[in-house]
Structure formats: structure tokens, C-alpha cells
Amino acid sequence: MPAKPFASSSDLTEKEQTLEVLADGVYALTAEGDPNVGAIEGEDFLVCFEAMATPVAAAEWLARLREYTDKPVRYLVLSHYHAVRVLGASAFDAEVIVAHENTRALVAERGLADWESEFARMPRLAKDAASVPGLTWPTLTFSDRLTIDLGGDRGELELRYCGRGHTEGDIVAWLPRQRVLFAGDLVEAQAALYTGDAFHHEWASSTLDAVAAIGAEALVGGRGAVSRGQEAVRAAIAQTRHFLRVMIREVTAVRERGGTLADAFTAAHAALVDDYGHWPIFEHCLPFDVSRLWDELAGIERPVIWTAERDRAVWAQLQG
């Protein structure tokens, strides 16, 4: 069998973007499994959620948003540190860039390596990569919760840390009045999970428990369609949890019988492909997912930093 093209390097077809109005002044942009972004109107300002991969890509999103509102961006909220989520930040001209305190530490520790890694894995998202001026640094961080008063009768936006999951620093953005949750990559709706920097056991249990307990009636995940209605929200959380639990089960079983990383990948792929193989970036993600989980089960507490070289080596070993 010929080797599969590296990660998403061959995925060069533009995805159709859909801008949805979820409530008065609450917007989500989805794109057939590409990273989702959103925005919330305050009385006289905007809060934007996620920053796209480059300023050029972000400017295109903002041009769509300007068809609905011309309010300035006061807050740019970053759910976590991954390059395709944060490196477009300069386009927003935000007064404040908000993230979890762990995210700021992760940018310092591995931001440059992640930038090189993610742009090589997903070159289509890196639209005009030279437009990125440098790493994106949060200017306001928090540990547990941060509330933004939207002003007038628009209510509040609650930023919450639900625990380690997709990374050490994932946060969600919750609108209690509108019952809308921007969940970042802690939840995916019909899109495969990337877990290469994850804490699988915590994510699959207490972290998703905390997300579910919020009681959202609409959920914007990191990728995939918006989940509308409590049943759809529960389903999105459940499928995320199921993906994690199946992978944990299969990889743990291989380790316990003395198998190899390649054996674990084969077992996890076989167990997941029928349900998830048709979803965006499944083949891209799974080698990195299984590699991180293998390390986690071996007692490596924090994810090993991904570099462009390490990416290629793992891919050659498991998807070559």
C-alpha cells in the first residue's frame, strides 16, 4: 500500500464557509471541518473567539462579520495555544487578548515549534503565512473564570476553565442569557479529535463532565457544524467522549499485552474508522493522537513537544 500524504498536506481544496447568527449579536463561522470561529456583540464593542491561522485569513472572516456589525474588537479570546487558532491575531486590532494562564506558558514553551509543525501539517490554512508578524501573546490571563460585562441588556460572557483536555489550557466561552457555548476543541461535532497535546483520561471524564454541566442549548465546537438544541449538544459531547474512550481502551489493551506503538495505532484505527473515518482530518490526527496517548500511558505526564521533524517521523512510522 502506498504511503498516505503527510497529515493534511494534500488537502488543498477550499472549504465553503457558513456564517450563522445563533442569537442577537452572536455569530459563528464554520467551514466543513476547518477550525470554527465566533463573535459576540457587546453594547459598543465585539468579543471575538479564536483568531484563525494568519492575519490574511482572519481579515477575510472579519470582512464577513462587518456585514453585520461595525463595532470595534475589544476582546480577542483564544481557547488554547495551537498556531492555526492564534496566529491571525494581529488582524483584529483587539485591545485585550485573553487566554488561560497555562496557554501563555505554553506559547512561551512551545509556540515556535507548534507554529512550524501546524503550518506544515495544514498548509492550506496558512494563507499567506508570511503575513504572521510573530507569536501571539495573551495580554490578560486567568486561572478559573473571567466574566466580561457585555453592557446594556446584553448580559455577560463567562470564560471558564473546565480542566485539562485538548491541551493544558483550554477555555470555553459561555453566554448564560443566550444559552450558547463556544467550546473550542474540547468538543468536536462530527469532526475527528486531535489529541496530540491532550490529557486523555481527564478530558474524557471530569473535563467533559464540566462542559456538559453548563447546560448549553447551542454549542460551537472546534470543528464541525453548530450543535443546536440540548439533544444535539449532548450528542456532540458524547461523541467526543466516545472517541476518547475507545482510543484509551484500545491503546491500553495493546500496552498491557506487550504490543508496540504501531500495534496500538492499528488497533485504534480499526476500532474507530467505521464510526469516525469519514470525518474531517481523521487520518491526519490519529497517528499523533495515539503517539501522545502511548506516552501518557507510559507515565509521561506532559505532552512531548511536536516539531516538524518529529511529526514526519511519527507519520512515517504509523501512516507510512
Side-chain angles (χ1 to χ4, degrees):
M1 180 181 296
K4 295 175 182 175
F6 173 67
S8 292
S9 61
S10 65
D11 180 11
L12 302 177
T13 303
E14 288 295 318
K15 310 302 182 186
E16 182 179 356
Q17 295 182 334
T18 301
L19 195 157
E20 301 181 52
V21 181
L22 307 182
D24 179 30
V26 182
Y27 309 95
L29 187 76
T30 62
E32 300 183 290
D34 275 0
N36 295 335
V37 295
I40 302 104
E41 287 190 47
E43 183 71 5
D44 57 1
F45 63 90
L46 281 172
V47 181
C48 286
F49 188 79
E50 311 288 37
M52 310 288 272
T54 68
V56 168
E60 294 176 357
W61 149 232
L62 287 169
R64 294 283 300 273
L65 184 60
R66 291 311 179 200
E67 298 173 11
Y68 295 83
T69 174
D70 61 359
K71 295 173 182 175
V73 179
R74 181 175 298 172
Y75 298 94
L76 175 61
V77 177
L78 305 176
S79 70
H80 62 288
Y81 77 96
H82 284 151
V84 297
R85 302 288 186 182
V86 306
L87 291 181
S90 62
F92 292 82
D93 196 24
E95 293 181 26
V96 183
I97 300 175
V98 189
H100 192 266
E101 61 189 18
N102 290 346
T103 290
R104 196 182 200 291
L106 288 163
V107 171
E109 178 187 50
R110 57 188 70 198
L112 286 172
D114 184 71
W115 181 352
E116 182 182 3
S117 167
E118 292 219 326
F119 277 26
R121 292 187 194 180
M122 295 172 277
R124 180 177 51 77
L125 298 183
K127 188 171 292 185
D128 193 357
S131 67
V132 179
L135 291 173
T136 297
W137 293 97
T139 60
L140 174 63
T141 63
F142 67 98
S143 61
D144 183 30
R145 291 194 186 188
L146 177 70
T147 299
I148 296 173
D149 184 351
L150 297 174
D153 61 356
R154 291 188 172 273
E156 296 179 335
L157 177 67
E158 297 179 6
L159 306 180
R160 299 187 183 186
Y161 181 64
C162 295
R164 298 186 303 183
H166 175 72
T167 72
E168 287 176 88
D170 301 272
I171 59 173
V172 302
W174 167 233
L175 289 160
R177 178 168 297 183
Q178 298 87 349
R179 313 298 296 173
V180 175
L181 180 68
F182 291 88
D185 278 327
L186 287 177
V187 180
E188 308 288 12
Q190 298 185 6
L193 273 63
Y194 176 68
T195 73
D197 297 298
F199 296 79
H200 293 79
H201 293 84
E202 192 171 331
W203 186 1
S205 55
S206 58
T207 298
L208 283 179
D209 288 346
V211 174
I214 291 171
E217 295 178 5
L219 182 148
V220 183
R223 295 175 184 261
V226 176
S227 301
R228 294 176 177 267
Q230 290 182 339
E231 183 176 346
V233 170
R234 285 193 292 267
I237 295 169
Q239 72 189 23
T240 301
R241 198 190 304 265
H242 182 258
F243 190 106
L244 292 165
R245 286 179 170 173
V246 170
M247 194 162 58
I248 291 168
R249 181 192 72 206
E250 296 298 323
V251 175
T252 299
V254 170
R255 283 195 65 89
E256 288 179 346
R257 65 174 180 261
T260 65
L261 174 60
D263 295 333
F265 175 77
T266 299
H269 190 284
L272 291 166
V273 69
D274 287 347
D275 288 334
Y276 304 105
H278 61 289
W279 285 3
I281 67 169
F282 174 80
E283 295 292 347
H284 167 164
C285 291
L286 198 62
F288 309 114
D289 295 354
V290 173
S291 179
R292 165 55 189 156
L293 178 54
W294 187 261
D295 286 350
E296 190 175 356
L297 294 170
I300 298 173
E301 170 66 12
R302 300 186 66 243
V304 178
I305 295 174
W306 291 102
T307 64
E309 295 75 20
R310 182 172 177 240
D311 289 352
R312 292 280 182 175
V314 168
W315 187 267
Q317 182 181 5
L318 300 182
Q319 288 278 46

